[in-house]
Amino acid sequence: MKVAIAGAGAVGRSIARELLVNSHDVTLFERKADHVDPDAVPGAKWILADACELTKLEDAQLQTFDVMIAATGDDKANLVVSLLAKTEFAINRVVARVNDPRNEWLFGDDWGVDVAVSTPRMLASLVEEAVSVGDLVRLMTFRQGQANLVELTLPANTPVAGKPVRKLELPRDVALVAILRGGRVIVPQSDDPIEGGDELVFIAPAEAEPALYDAMRITR
């Protein structure tokens, strides 16, 4: 994919390096000249420009990119970048960093954001996950709450132990996307059995979460 990243701080550079490892075409937009350091991210293209300025994005032909990642440390800037990317250049996928969780409600369709990533929320979720067997933990929200990435750790004595994935009676629009077991990440196949202690990762709409508890026979 051809990916644009607004903001070449520690976060933006880290994202760029990961994408380059996977052979994506990465361009970093950075408005501060002293932050432009091509040697820090070998293989990435650099543009000294403020990604909030429409003319700079036009000069970079942003319409030719597949993904825009708004990764600055300023929520206002990330919202402006997201809105321009979606409305002016019809970028297919816009991912935005949320620095202040209090602003998370803004990061949705109205501002052109497809996926909002809140580091504080994700860290809090991981803490909750470590202590919450049987609780449903939201790891990420897609499209302002229309769907969530959620994790459920099954108790050792779960009544669904031994049941194959195909026999799980999941609610409508809920999908099991991964099973974490003993340090392994398992892409679930229809015949894979569920075991006590499994961490199950689902994509689910918020309104389906109570039914998901019931389907997994977890007492709320």
Side-chain angles (χ1 to χ4, degrees):
M1 293 185 297
K2 194 173 181 181
V3 183
I5 301 175
V11 173
R13 293 183 186 190
S14 296
I15 295 170
R17 293 187 190 102
E18 291 295 328
L19 291 171
L20 287 165
V21 167
N22 291 306
S23 301
H24 296 296
D25 184 341
V26 178
T27 298
L28 284 157
F29 289 79
E30 175 53 53
R31 66 183 180 87
K32 296 180 179 179
D34 58 345
H35 285 186
V36 175
D37 183 5
D39 293 335
V41 191
K45 301 179 183 69
W46 289 73
I47 296 177
L48 177 59
D50 187 342
C52 292
E53 295 184 15
L54 180 59
T55 56
K56 301 298 184 182
L57 298 178
E58 290 174 339
D59 291 343
Q61 297 185 313
L62 194 68
Q63 69 276 8
T64 65
F65 286 75
D66 302 298
V67 180
M68 166 57 87
I69 301 174
T72 79
D74 185 332
D75 284 344
K76 296 187 294 296
N78 289 342
L79 288 170
V80 171
V81 169
S82 298
L83 186 62
L84 290 175
K86 184 65 72 176
T87 61
E88 299 296 328
F89 300 95
I91 297 298
N92 182 55
R93 190 164 184 80
V94 177
V95 181
R97 172 188 177 188
V98 184
N99 296 278
D100 187 339
R102 293 173 297 181
N103 297 329
E104 191 170 1
W105 65 277
L106 288 166
F107 286 74
D109 288 342
D110 289 345
W111 282 92
V113 178
D114 295 308
V115 179
V117 181
S118 171
T119 301
R121 180 178 292 277
M122 291 185 72
L123 289 173
S125 295
L126 291 172
V127 171
E128 291 176 3
E129 177 186 348
V131 298
S132 303
V133 173
D135 286 345
L136 200 65
V137 179
R138 290 184 184 177
L139 302 176
M140 184 182 293
T141 297
F142 301 100
R143 293 191 178 275
Q144 204 172 13
Q146 293 180 23
N148 299 313
L149 187 69
V150 300
E151 184 269 347
L152 179 66
T153 300
L154 297 177
N157 62 346
T158 176
V160 298
K163 181 175 287 191
V165 168
R166 70 175 184 277
K167 291 191 176 181
L168 294 178
E169 297 177 0
L170 298 179
R172 182 177 178 178
D173 298 328
V174 173
L176 175 63
V177 296
I179 301 172
L180 309 181
R181 178 185 299 156
R184 296 174 56 211
V185 178
I186 301 169
V187 178
Q189 305 298 316
S190 61
D191 291 330
D192 288 338
I194 301 298
E195 296 181 6
D198 280 352
E199 297 178 49
L200 306 180
V201 181
F202 301 89
I203 293 178
E207 63 271 16
E209 290 176 6
L212 178 57
Y213 269 109
D214 293 339
M216 302 310 297
R217 302 181 191 176
I218 299 293
T219 303
R220 282 171 278 165

